[in-house]
Amino acid sequence: MLFSSTIFVFLFLPMVLIFYYGIFRNSRKLKNIFLLLASLFFYAWGEPTFVLVMIMSIICNYYFGLKVDKYKNDKRKAKSVIVIMLIFNLTIMFIFKYLMFTLTNIKYIKGLNFNIPNIALPIGISFFTFQAISYVIDVYRGNGKVQKNPLNVGLYISFFPQLIAGPIVRYETIAEQIENRHENFEDFSKGTCRFIIGLGKKMLLANTLALVADYAFSVKSSELSVVMAWLGALAYTFQIFFDFSGYSDMAIGLGLMFGFKFLENFNYPYISKSISEFWRRWHISLGTWFRDYVYFPLGGSRVNSKKRLVFNLFVVWSLTGLWHGANWTFIVWGLMYFVLITLEKLTKFDQKLGWFGHVYTMLFVILGWVLFRADNISYGIGYIKSMFAMSGNMFMDISAKLYFLENRYFYLGATLCSLPLKNIIGKKTNLNSKVADGLYTVMTLLLFVISVSYIVKGSYNPFIYFNF
């Protein structure tokens, strides 16, 4: 079920809110049980079989949490439980997400002849698996109390706002909120507005520019004109940002409606002046997850040798690339960032670039998104060559002209919305707070009406991160 669908906006969400604040308003326990059942129904709507995989994950990680808490004074036994938990969770993710990829490569490298099973990918498996791991490790570290009630573990892992495309909510950030959150009208209002902003990002910007990106990446790379190649690359750069940040906005907003306060997942990444800064601003929940559960346990940057630092970075960025999908394009994409961030950490050259740091950062971010979007490495390299007129391709063709003219205002809007306009406008104007609030309300309502009109007319409506 998509957040940007009529059934969610006009049926599922209103019904959940009515039951939550109406029938179950006086019981925290009943509210949590209801949210769990609603979340499982939400997931089962599109994945009726794979909801069983999630339920198995909930039950097993609930058990692992109890065992880790039981052995908290016996580090050897507790660590053994952590190892078993990691094997269990990562094996499930490997079977559904990476087994076909692994067998395909073995078949190709060894020259073997065998049938490869066609395994469907459960939506959002990377997100809810990482949350399950977070629960057990945070209990082990004492960063959140163990849940004696398995239904509370189920709510944490399956809560529908962040279930299928994040943000990845670490257990320590909401451990207390599961039983002791406080809903209020102010948070509900903020959550509603945040949801509408995310919906607008998704429907107006991401979906519109997705049409340009899909066309560009469907053309044979050598037949792309230079301008069309850049238009497609920029369109995807904006699409993936507004698609994913829009979903995160909607998830954070929905969380607020039910009293949950999730951490931010994006902080204007396209204003970054270094690759390291970009990854402090992009998909923050994933970056901090790998930092706290992989990078720091390996020693982080506080190691005695540069070789160890490089190794730690290599592990993290290899896993980051692989987390995004079972394709060599994602692995190469992750390794590209490994090389760039390693160079920045070892040489500090990015601190000397000044304004050019932004140009350098965005160039590699855009080229990285080309690899990320390409079906294979060969096509990605060919596409990049066309961007720099290295394929004997023409500078501009009629397609480039038409796509630019039809979408020029969306490119402009996407560029402006990639900037911290609220802060900029706030510094440049001295609007009365009541006037500012009134304008914000009017603009939010207008955005909702326009977004809903796009939903109703059934416009192109993919979600990129559902695949991860």
Side-chain angles (χ1 to χ4, degrees), residues 31 62 102 108 123 136 144 160 173 198 226 259 323 343-344 361 372 391 423 440:
K31 280 183 173 180
Y62 163 72
T102 302
Y108 176 78
I123 291 175
V136 181
F160 74 88
T173 64
V226 174
W323 179 89
L343 288 173
E344 288 185 358
T361 299
F372 193 93
S391 300
N423 297 335
Y440 180 72

Side-chain angles (χ1 to χ4, degrees), residues 322-342:
L322 195 59
W323 179 89
H324 282 85
N327 194 318
W328 284 106
T329 55
F330 298 121
I331 296 172
V332 172
W333 174 78
L335 292 177
M336 180 196 80
Y337 280 111
F338 155 69
V339 172
L340 292 171
I341 289 177
T342 300

Side-chain angles (χ1 to χ4, degrees), residues 4-209:
S4 53
S5 64
T6 54
I7 194 167
F8 180 85
V9 173
F10 298 116
L11 183 59
F12 180 82
L13 181 58
M15 290 300 297
V16 171
L17 290 171
I18 289 170
F19 275 81
Y20 186 82
Y21 284 106
I23 297 175
F24 304 118
R25 66 181 180 277
N26 296 321
S27 171
R28 172 67 61 213
K29 183 177 181 180
L30 290 179
K31 280 183 173 180
N32 285 349
I33 293 173
F34 172 69
L35 284 182
L36 170 61
L37 294 175
S39 297
L40 293 175
F41 175 82
F42 175 85
Y43 191 77
W45 182 269
E47 301 282 357
T49 302
F50 292 132
V51 73
L52 298 176
V53 176
M54 177 177 290
I55 292 172
M56 178 179 67
S57 175
I58 291 169
I59 294 171
C60 292
N61 285 289
Y62 163 72
Y63 174 79
F64 291 136
L66 292 177
K67 285 296 182 182
V68 160
D69 184 65
K70 178 181 178 180
Y71 299 133
K72 59 186 175 184
N73 296 321
D74 188 334
K75 293 295 183 182
R76 185 182 62 83
K77 289 185 178 180
K79 287 182 178 179
S80 297
V81 174
I82 292 293
V83 170
I84 295 170
M85 177 274 295
L86 289 172
I87 292 173
F88 168 78
N89 284 293
L90 296 178
T91 297
I92 291 177
M93 197 160 75
F94 175 82
I95 290 172
F96 285 104
K97 193 167 183 178
Y98 303 107
L99 181 58
M100 290 172 59
F101 174 71
T102 302
L103 292 176
T104 299
N105 281 279
I106 291 174
K107 182 177 181 179
Y108 176 78
I109 294 171
K110 297 293 186 179
L112 302 176
N113 185 22
F114 58 85
N115 293 325
I116 298 174
N118 184 25
I119 303 174
L121 178 66
I123 291 175
I125 189 170
S126 297
F127 289 96
F128 71 73
T129 299
F130 270 29
Q131 291 200 181
I133 292 172
S134 171
Y135 167 67
V136 181
I137 292 179
D138 284 354
V139 169
Y140 166 74
R141 292 176 175 177
N143 293 333
K145 67 177 182 179
V146 68
Q147 292 291 342
K148 302 297 184 180
N149 184 346
L151 300 181
N152 287 341
V153 178
L155 176 60
Y156 163 66
I157 293 175
S158 69
F159 190 34
F160 74 88
Q162 39 72 47
L163 173 58
I164 51 182
I168 301 170
V169 179
R170 289 181 297 162
Y171 179 65
E172 66 175 292
T173 64
I174 65 163
E176 290 299 316
Q177 297 178 42
I178 292 175
E179 294 180 314
N180 299 307
R181 63 190 181 276
H182 301 285
E183 303 91 340
N184 57 72
F185 182 75
E186 182 180 357
D187 283 345
F188 187 90
S189 299
K190 289 180 180 178
T192 302
C193 291
R194 189 67 180 271
F195 178 84
I196 292 171
I197 290 170
L199 186 65
K201 284 183 179 180
K202 169 62 181 168
M203 298 306 301
L204 275 63
L205 296 175
N207 286 3
T208 301
L209 292 173

